[in-house]
Amino acid sequence: MSKIEFYFDLGSPYSFLGFHRIQQIAEQHQAEMIWKPMLLGGVFKATGNNSPMAVPAKARYSMIDLQRWAKLWHIPVQMNPYFPINTLMLMRLLTAVQLYQPAHFQRVLTALFDAMFAQPRNLNDVTELMNLAQELGFEVTQVQAWLEDEKVKSELKAVTQEAIDRGVFGAPTWFVADEMYWGVDHLHFVEAAL
């Protein structure tokens, strides 16, 4: 079975689109998804890259471009009005679920992405994040423990460093058979590789 490795950060609207589209591609090609939650800020810092939102003209264009892809793939997307959102706690929560409760990973990942770009919520607000975690069936004390868990912190740092070492400079990024593909506009090459 072919494998698709997906490096992403919940704060990336293009990762949100890519998250939905890559699952369709994986199903169509009977490929296994390997989820790689990373800290995009760490990748940017290490590579000298920057968010498209940091360049006003690029930010304006990106808002139009996102809607074009969303329309093409029938994936509704809304820009989060609280953007930018510091995703450190979100990515730690996701990493913790992947480590400790992997059976719930896909459900939690979907819910977190939806809270970012489908039905946007202010996930900069810790109370709002805890409310969401409770809606997903987690105890607040459990989530708080995970957010400070050294194993979780180490795993998130390790995956981020792994991404940097493999040449990742942005999100979303996919690997098929060690070949790298960056951006939703390159998913046709992922399909061709599969």
Side-chain angles (χ1 to χ4, degrees), residues 141-161:
T141 52
Q142 177 65 79
V143 173
Q144 289 170 333
W146 281 342
L147 295 179
E148 297 305 320
D149 186 310
E150 290 304 324
K151 186 176 177 185
V152 170
K153 292 178 183 180
S154 294
E155 177 66 14
L156 184 54
K157 286 178 187 172
V159 173
T160 303
Q161 188 59 53

Side-chain angles (χ1 to χ4, degrees), residues 69-100:
W69 288 107
K71 185 177 178 184
L72 177 68
W73 291 330
H74 309 287
I75 302 167
V77 62
Q78 293 185 59
M79 199 57 199
N80 194 308
Y82 303 101
F83 197 88
I85 289 176
N86 182 335
T87 60
L88 177 62
M89 295 300 150
L90 299 174
M91 300 310 288
R92 281 185 187 169
L93 172 58
L94 191 57
T95 299
V97 173
Q98 190 176 39
L99 282 173
Y100 298 126

